[in-house]
Amino acid sequence: MLKGLNAVVTGGSRGIGREIALKLAQNGANIFIPDIVISENTEQTLSDCRALGVQAEAMVCDVSSFEAVKEFCDRMAKEFGGVDILVNNAGITRDGLLGRMSEENFDAVIATNLKGAFNFCRNLYRNFLGRKSGRIINISSVVGLNGNIGQVNYSAAKAGLIGLTKSVAKELAARNVTCNAIAPGFIQTAMTDALTPEVRAQYEASIPLGRLGIPEDIANLALFLCSPSASYITGEVIRCDGGLAM
Ligand code: NAD
């Protein structure tokens, strides 16, 4: 379905990004992973993708740096023939109650989760105009819709990503490029492994489907949004949260 297309999955070394990379690779897309660290996880993801018969490369790139992202995108154009699918997935948390949240932790979360997506959309703008087709998927969060105690920085970034998604969707629609956001609920990854057992149990109790999600739940939705079946969907925010934010 995606044979020969080039997909960039930011922060695709592990967790949700890894699963999206694998799902797109299973469907024929070549995978390119900009990540702040190239670790054993990255190498594992690359070899798992290559075993599916596609090209897979990773490059060190801090998504919060406009210059680093520009360098990555220039390389994509020169060495690999550009980008068809962009998944802005890289994200961090620096949780804390408002009364204790430092300026540094606010800025760091905005820089990675929100500005990182801008950096990629901006540096791939001409790429997408020239291709006259393309898919952009931004990984937001249900807390960007509903807010969350202890996550003023993260929910602001994820809400900002929704505004960015809709504006990019409007600007690029005439070029047949769609831009959508996925709003995951609580998904089992290193990010949620950090939760205490009590908090985790509280979350589970609040999810109508009665379980935390798995990365593949998000990857299935990302694949759908990249597929021809989703060609008439743009500017949409789709929750994938077991009913949490209903
Ligand atoms: P994770 O921590 O397992 O993986 C994040 C990846 O992003 C890592 O590979 C990390 O190295 C990379 N990364 C971090 N900062 C980066 C930077 N500055 N530049 C480049 N790469 C960077 O996280 P995850 O749980 O897989 O989350 C993936 C995305 O899904 C994030 O945007 C997160 O906010 C979002 N999300 C996660 C959940 C959840 O419950 N896990 C829920 C809602 C949304």
Side-chain angles (χ1 to χ4, degrees):
M1 181 161 66
L2 307 176
K3 196 164 171 39
L5 299 183
N6 285 346
V8 170
V9 183
T10 70
S13 299
R14 66 180 201 186
I16 292 171
R18 168 188 153 83
E19 215 55 40
I20 293 173
L22 284 172
K23 191 65 75 177
L24 300 185
Q26 275 161 18
N27 285 272
N30 298 316
I31 302 299
F32 300 88
I33 298 177
D35 206 304
I36 198 159
V37 282
I38 303 298
S39 62
E40 277 177 22
N41 290 330
T42 321
E43 297 302 341
Q44 185 64 53
T45 300
L46 293 178
S47 70
D48 291 347
C49 288
R50 287 177 190 141
L52 294 162
V54 301
Q55 187 176 4
E57 309 290 340
M59 292 162 233
V60 175
C61 173
D62 176 352
V63 301
S64 70
S65 158
F66 190 85
E67 273 315 304
V69 173
K70 183 175 185 315
E71 206 175 297
F72 176 91
C73 295
D74 288 349
R75 231 186 119 186
M76 284 303 303
K78 280 193 200 107
E79 290 179 35
F80 304 107
V83 177
D84 303 287
I85 295 167
L86 166 65
V87 184
N88 285 308
N89 163 81
I92 57 167
T93 51
R94 295 281 186 275
D95 295 351
L97 294 172
L98 177 60
R100 293 191 211 130
M101 185 170 288
S102 66
E103 182 185 7
E104 190 190 1
N105 281 348
F106 185 85
D107 289 346
V109 168
I110 298 289
T112 298
N113 295 271
L114 178 56
K115 192 181 165 217
F118 164 74
N119 288 342
F120 270 91
C121 291
R122 176 67 185 87
N123 281 299
L124 289 174
Y125 176 72
R126 288 193 178 284
N127 165 91
F128 282 119
L129 287 196
R131 278 177 131 69
K132 299 198 177 84
S133 73
R135 299 293 159 95
I136 302 173
I137 298 173
N138 296 318
I139 307 298
S140 178
S141 167
V142 289
V143 308
L145 296 166
N146 288 4
N148 198 23
I149 290 172
Q151 292 196 309
V152 163
N153 49 1
Y154 185 76
S155 51
K158 294 302 191 183
L161 212 41
I162 290 172
L164 179 146
T165 298
K166 294 183 181 187
S167 298
V168 170
K170 286 185 175 179
E171 288 201 22
L172 293 183
R175 296 296 180 120
N176 194 33
V177 176
T178 69
C179 181
N180 292 289
I182 296 177
F186 295 105
I187 309 297
Q188 284 174 42
T189 67
M191 196 174 263
T192 42
D193 285 348
L195 299 173
T196 63
E198 297 76 41
V199 173
R200 197 187 167 88
Q202 264 176 20
Y203 282 149
E204 273 167 3
S206 64
I207 300 169
L209 285 178
R211 66 166 176 91
L212 265 66
I214 56 172
E216 198 178 4
D217 293 323
I218 307 305
N220 286 332
L221 178 52
L223 174 65
F224 168 68
L225 288 171
C226 291
S227 74
S229 307
S231 61
Y232 202 54
I233 300 174
T234 197
E236 193 54 85
V237 183
I238 305 181
R239 289 188 297 109
C240 186
D241 64 352
L244 177 69
M246 264 193 283

